[in-house]
Each structure stands twice: as C-alpha cells, then as structure tokens.
Amino acid sequence: MTIKKIITLQNLLITLCAIVIILIGYKGYQFQLKVSWVAEADRLYAEHKLVEAEALYTKAQNNRFLNYKEQEIAAKLTELAPITKINEQLASLNHTAQNATRNHDYEGLIQVYEQWNKVSSTYLEPEEKYSPYYRQISDIVGISANMKSYFQQFEEQFLSAASSNLKKAQYKDETFKWNLLRLPSEFFGGEKKFTAQILDELKNYDETKMNQLASANTYNTLYIEVLNMLKQYDEHQIDADWVTAGVENIGLALLKKDLENNNYRNFAEDAKQYETFVTDAGFKSSKVVNYIVNRYSEIMKEAKKLTANQEFQQAINIYEQLHAYKDTTDLIKSVKMEWLKAEPARILPEQPQGYLHVSGGTDRFESKVYAAAADQGNLIYFGRMNSNDAVQVLTYSDLPSSEQIQNMTIDKDLSTSSIPVLLIQSASDNRTAIYTALEVRSDQIVLLYRIEADEITVNPDGTLTVINPVGEGAGETTIYERQGDSYHFAKVQVNITDIDGSLLAEYPGIKVRFTCTVFMAGAGEVIALAGNNYMMLTGNFNFYEGDITVTGTFSQFRDIDLFGEPFTVPVFEVETVQ
C-alpha cells in the first residue's frame, strides 16, 4: 500500500466519523425539541389552549428521530382530532385557493370560497363548541385575508380585460362582467357598496362601448350588441337601465342629425332599423319611436303641401326617400297622376325642344289622362292613359313641316265620348286659315278633312258649313258632308231669309220663309193670306187649310179673280212646307 492510498483512506474515515458525530448531535437536538414540544403542549393543554397544544402535539408526533411518550401524544391528538381536522381543512382550502389564483382559475377559486363558506357555516353554529377554536385557527391560517387578496387580484384582472376591450374596440369576450358580479361582496365593502361599484363599472363600460360603435357608424352591430347585453343582464336579473337610456340617446341623436341634413332617405332607413330593434328588444315605450312617428307625420304633411302647391317633383322626392320606412308606392303613384292632370303633356315622350299647342284633360275619351301636342316639325302627338295606367301615344306625320300651326284644340262638336277629334288651324295666304281635323281612333290617327277657307262651323246634323273654301264652292257658303272616313264638298248653301209674308213683293228672287193662312185646301196651287195681302202658292204639295210656314221664291205677279173682283197677287214657288 502506498502512502497516497493510506492518506486517502484516513480522510474517508475522518469524514465518516464527522458525519456520525453530526447525526448524533442532530438526533440529540431533535430529541430535546420533541421533549420540549411535549412539555409545552402539556402545559398549554392544561391551560385549555387547545389550538396551540394540538399544533405542538402534532409536531412532536411527526418527529420520528426517537420514541417519546408516543401513546400519550397519540391519545391527546385523538382527543384533539376536531381541531386537527379544522387545521387540515383550512390549510387545504388556503393552499387550493392559492394555486387557483396562481393558475388564473377563477372557477376554482369560487369553488374554494364556497367550500370555505360551507365549512365556516358548520363550525360557526351558535352551539358549536369548537366555534372559538375555528375562529382562532382561521386567524392563524389567514384564510380570510388571503381570500380577499386573491379576489382583489381577479378584480384587477377583470377590470383590465374591460379596459383592453375598449382600447381595442373588440367586445367578443365580456365574461369579465359576470365574473365581476360573482365577486364576494364581503371583501369589497359590503353588498350595497360593492353592487353600486360594480354596476358603475359596467355602466361606464357599456356606455363607452355603445358610443364607440355609434362613432364607427356600425349601428346594426350596435343594436345586435344591445340586444345581447339586455338579454344577458336579464338572465343575471340586473336592471341595466343605462343600456336602454344609452341606446335611446344614440338613436335620437342619429335621427336628428339625419333631419338636420335634410336627409330623409337616411332618416327613413335609420328609423326603420331602430323600430325593428325596439320591437326585438321588447321596449314598452320609446322616446325615439315617438320622435320618429311625430317627425314622419310632419314630413308627410310637408309632401302633401308640396303636392297641393303643384311642386310635384319635390313631393315625389320626399316620398321616394321615405319608402324605406313605409311603403309609399301608392303615394308616389298618386302624385304622379296629379302631375299628369296638371301637366297632361307629361304623358307624351320627352322632347328636347318641347311641345307646341299643348292641350289635354282628364276623365274623358275613356282615359284617365289625355294630351295632344305638336312638335317643332309639325308631327302631331296624342297620348292617353287608360284605367289600368297603360299609356298609349299615337302620331300623325302628314302635316307639312313648313306649315305654320296657329292653334290646335280638341273639337268639342265632332269629338264623341270615346273618340277625340283634333282641330288644327294653320296660316293661309288666301283664306283665313287652313283647317285640319284629325280623328284619334284606338290604334291610329286619321284625317277627317283639310279645308282652306274663311270659316268652318259644325252643324247639328254633323255636316260642315264652310264659308268661301278654296276650290269648289269658292266665294260661296257651302256644305260638306261626311262620306266614310272623311268630309267632302256636298253643295253650295242657299241662305233663307225669314220675312213678314205681307211684304213678299219686296223680296223678288230671294229665298224667303214666312207664315201664311190657306183659305181652301188644294193641290199644286192655292190662294193664301199674309196680313192683309193675298198671294198664290204653287208647288208639288197638298196644301191644307189653316196656318202653314213655307219656304221658296217670289218670281212674278198674276192677275186673278177673287170673290168676283180682279186682284194682282205675287206668285210664290214653294220648296218646303211646315
């Protein structure tokens, strides 16, 4: 064996000896502790300080370095088992609460809190003999202070989550609300103070959130969020009146802004959206809905006034903008009809240069509205709307474009209840005018007549009296009759003069009409008396005795014998007898 090996072995032996000495010393120390713990525990027990005695007995029992009064210690601990149980329960609860807090396990902490309350309720019964010891152990463990600290940490966490939501304008996770409401009020100043504090936090959060959504013009999202908020608060039996008040104020401000900008379209859309929201929310009353109803009524009155003042387009604009709130289709249709009645030419196609000689009306010719007009090139238009609101426009293009139209009307004499006739008067170099009549049928416009003359009138029998027409009958008063679809020259009209029959001799060669008395009936030729003058009536008629009216011409005198005396009388050639 070398010197090096001898030295190494000696060192090892020395080290082992040192360890043995230390162990013996430590064992001796533990022995002294255990003896002192037992002695102190016995003293405390004798003084009825059972909590402190139980703690020392437990420490002594757990000291396994030597056996010392083990049976006595076990007996005492058996007697003090209820206190040991309290210690173990509170220590376990305290430890579990600490772990839950460390792991951000709010549900776990709530469960620990509920278990603690259950344990406390057992030991704090008025007749529970271990009640004083329970209070003492609780203070020693510090569970109440710890619980308060843990819940305060979670309160800070929840309020931080609320601030983060508002800062990011993201509201998907709002579980912090209901977690705040589950915080034990005993750690936050009592039920009344705690409830007021938490509700104030929720109110500030909700109001800020609603204002953020409104500022971003995401009103649909706002109303959905409010519906969810109200539902959740209702489920938690919380009267969140600040939510209702907040959304009402926001809705009212939005609608007022719409009207301040005269934006009826936005007002209608926003009003409809808000009323739908109110229905879904089940509000019993709403100042915003009342405002909507009143303002809508005022706007409708404004539109009706515009219509009455014939400011039709402005009225239509309002009705169109309000359509999103309530169906205004019929109102728009009604205004457009009033506009057509006031301006019948609107039924005709748009003309860049406009129409000339416009006429029209309503409820005639089996039409709601009708209109006639000419354009710059003398194209004639006739438009009408039937009972089904269908519009028909007919045209007539045969009028010379160079012709100067002076006037165009709907002829009241030739028109019928279903067929209008247009009378056009154009400039003439040779006569008073060129008269053109157009008959508007169901599918076309046809020419009735085109006559250049000094005057045209319609006779009761439907014929035309035409004075001094160009062509046949020039210089005369003529009669035109309808033959098929148009009027043609029929004859020259002879004028009849009504006279006193006693003055017949003063109208030779002129067609006249008068009343006379026939003395004796006869055929072909009779004597009649007018006033005090006799005359002879001739013609191919049967003349009856009495007064008759005759039309014809005096052309000559004849000598006759009457009552035995000679008379010279005028001879009247009769053409008609009445």
Side-chain angles (χ1 to χ4, degrees):
M1 180 178 295
T2 63
I3 295 176
K4 184 176 181 181
K5 288 182 178 180
I6 293 173
I7 294 173
T8 302
L9 182 58
Q10 288 178 343
N11 290 339
L12 178 59
L13 291 173
I14 293 171
T15 301
L16 291 174
C17 289
I19 292 173
V20 170
I21 293 171
I22 291 172
L23 291 175
I24 293 173
Y26 181 71
K27 186 174 182 179
Y29 171 72
Q30 291 297 326
F31 175 76
Q32 290 296 328
L33 281 178
K34 188 169 185 176
V35 171
S36 64
W37 289 342
V38 173
E40 181 63 16
D42 289 339
R43 185 184 67 79
L44 293 172
Y45 180 83
E47 295 177 0
H48 299 289
K49 296 181 179 179
L50 303 184
V51 173
E52 294 85 346
E54 185 277 338
L56 289 176
Y57 282 131
T58 299
K59 289 176 68 175
Q61 188 182 55
N62 291 335
N63 189 328
R64 301 298 182 183
F65 284 95
L66 76 160
N67 293 327
Y68 176 73
K69 293 186 177 183
E70 298 302 326
Q71 291 182 351
E72 292 88 338
I73 293 173
K76 286 292 191 294
L77 286 176
T78 299
E79 182 184 345
L80 299 174
I83 293 177
T84 302
K85 182 180 178 181
I86 293 171
N87 262 317
E88 290 174 348
Q89 286 179 315
L90 293 181
S92 176
L93 290 172
N94 193 43
H95 179 72
T96 305
Q98 184 181 34
N99 286 339
T101 304
R102 184 184 299 115
N103 296 326
H104 305 289
D105 182 7
Y106 187 59
E107 289 298 325
L109 182 61
I110 290 291
Q111 291 177 11
V112 174
Y113 175 74
E114 291 173 349
Q115 292 170 9
W116 177 43
N117 279 338
K118 186 176 181 180
V119 171
S120 296
S121 64
T122 301
Y123 287 106
L124 294 179
E125 288 290 336
E127 303 197 2
E128 171 58 50
K129 69 177 183 177
Y130 286 99
S131 178
Y133 304 115
Y134 177 81
R135 289 189 174 90
Q136 182 180 356
I137 295 171
S138 293
D139 291 340
I140 293 171
V141 173
I143 190 169
S144 179
N146 290 339
M147 283 288 187
K148 179 177 181 180
S149 173
Y150 299 151
F151 279 113
Q152 285 176 339
Q153 291 178 49
F154 274 105
E155 180 194 31
E156 293 176 2
Q157 177 182 323
F158 299 147
L159 294 178
S160 176
S163 298
S164 178
N165 279 8
L166 296 177
K167 184 176 181 180
K168 297 176 181 178
Q170 296 292 330
Y171 322 104
K172 186 175 181 180
D173 183 5
E174 293 185 332
T175 54
F176 68 86
K177 286 184 175 182
W178 324 122
N179 287 333
L180 282 170
L181 290 169
R182 296 172 68 190
L183 290 169
S185 61
E186 63 184 281
F187 301 130
F188 299 92
E191 183 69 25
K192 184 176 181 181
K193 180 179 179 181
F194 168 74
T195 300
Q197 176 186 343
I198 295 302
L199 293 185
D200 190 55
E201 292 287 351
L202 296 179
K203 177 176 180 290
N204 291 336
Y205 173 84
D206 290 337
E207 289 178 343
T208 304
K209 170 185 172 180
M210 289 189 291
N211 288 327
Q212 285 181 344
L213 290 170
S215 298
N217 288 321
T218 53
Y219 287 93
N220 187 54
T221 302
L222 167 64
Y223 298 143
I224 292 174
E225 286 290 327
V226 170
L227 288 174
N228 290 333
M229 291 158 63
L230 292 173
K231 179 181 178 182
Q232 290 170 347
Y233 279 124
D234 185 60
E235 290 172 350
H236 289 83
Q237 299 181 337
I238 295 175
D239 181 16
D241 55 357
W242 65 84
V243 176
T244 303
V247 75
E248 285 269 282
N249 290 336
I250 290 172
L252 187 61
L254 173 63
L255 294 167
K256 286 184 175 181
K257 182 179 179 182
D258 290 338
L259 295 181
E260 287 172 1
N261 295 330
N262 294 319
N263 195 331
Y264 293 155
R265 190 179 306 279
N266 282 358
F267 172 80
E269 293 173 353
D270 294 336
K272 184 65 175 180
Q273 186 180 38
Y274 194 85
E275 284 194 350
T276 300
F277 157 73
V278 167
T279 300
D280 293 341
F283 287 0
K284 293 182 179 179
S285 63
S286 168
K287 66 179 181 181
V288 179
V289 171
N290 292 338
Y291 177 79
I292 291 170
V293 171
N294 292 334
R295 290 299 292 120
Y296 177 79
S297 176
E298 292 173 5
I299 296 170
M300 293 295 285
K301 289 179 181 178
E302 177 185 349
K304 289 179 181 179
K305 184 177 180 181
L306 289 169
T307 302
N309 293 336
Q310 297 193 350
E311 298 178 64
F312 302 108
Q313 188 59 60
Q314 293 91 322
I316 290 173
N317 290 344
I318 290 177
Y319 287 135
E320 287 178 342
Q321 291 182 76
L322 293 178
H323 184 78
Y325 179 68
K326 286 186 180 178
D327 188 358
T328 55
T329 302
D330 290 342
L331 292 171
I332 293 171
K333 182 179 177 181
S334 176
V335 174
K336 287 183 176 179
M337 180 59 67
E338 291 298 318
W339 199 352
L340 282 176
K341 290 179 179 180
E343 302 177 22
R346 289 181 53 79
I347 204 171
L348 302 175
E350 289 188 9
Q351 279 286 352
Q353 296 179 330
Y355 287 100
L356 303 172
H357 312 294
V358 179
S359 61
T362 60
D363 301 322
R364 191 179 175 193
F365 308 124
E366 299 178 352
S367 303
K368 282 185 176 181
V369 181
Y370 63 90
D375 67 11
Q376 300 292 336
N378 286 354
L379 181 63
I380 306 302
Y381 292 81
F382 186 87
R384 55 189 161 194
M385 176 185 288
N386 65 17
S387 59
N388 295 322
D389 295 340
V391 175
Q392 179 194 48
V393 178
L394 301 174
T395 59
Y396 181 81
S397 59
D398 291 342
L399 208 63
S401 60
S402 59
E403 193 168 286
Q404 182 182 353
I405 297 176
Q406 296 174 327
N407 187 30
M408 184 171 75
T409 59
I410 295 177
D411 192 298
K412 61 183 179 61
D413 296 316
L414 291 179
S415 297
T416 67
S417 61
S418 59
I419 300 176
V421 173
L422 307 181
L423 180 59
I424 302 170
Q425 184 175 325
S426 305
S428 169
D429 294 332
N430 302 307
R431 297 292 189 272
T432 300
I434 300 173
Y435 299 94
T436 304
L438 304 174
E439 187 174 71
V440 182
R441 298 182 181 175
S442 61
D443 58 351
Q444 62 180 326
I445 299 176
V446 298
L447 178 67
L448 280 183
Y449 66 78
R450 181 173 170 79
I451 303 171
E452 190 172 2
D454 285 338
E455 185 181 342
I456 297 179
T457 56
V458 180
N459 300 316
D461 61 359
T463 61
L464 305 178
T465 297
V466 182
I467 299 175
N468 190 23
V470 171
E472 193 172 9
E476 301 288 344
T477 297
T478 61
I479 300 297
Y480 278 65
E481 296 178 349
R482 183 163 184 168
Q483 300 174 12
D485 290 338
S486 60
Y487 281 87
H488 299 276
F489 174 82
K491 59 185 178 181
V492 174
Q493 177 180 332
V494 178
N495 293 326
I496 300 174
T497 304
D498 289 316
I499 65 170
D500 181 347
S502 63
L503 303 177
L504 177 61
E506 298 179 9
Y507 296 92
I510 300 174
K511 184 170 289 190
V512 295
R513 180 171 52 225
F514 60 88
T515 299
C516 59
T517 302
V518 177
F519 283 102
M520 185 179 296
E525 193 174 272
V526 295
I527 299 298
L529 177 67
N532 295 320
N533 296 330
Y534 292 100
M535 64 190 67
M536 180 177 287
L537 304 181
T538 64
N540 189 23
F541 297 96
N542 289 319
F543 297 101
Y544 297 98
E545 185 176 332
D547 293 339
I548 61 173
T549 299
V550 293
T551 301
T553 306
F554 158 57
S555 58
Q556 60 180 327
F557 287 96
R558 181 183 295 182
D559 293 329
I560 63 173
D561 181 70
L562 186 62
F563 309 122
E565 296 182 12
F567 283 89
T568 299
V569 296
V571 178
F572 188 71
E573 297 177 5
V574 179
E575 295 179 6
T576 62
V577 177
Q578 295 177 333

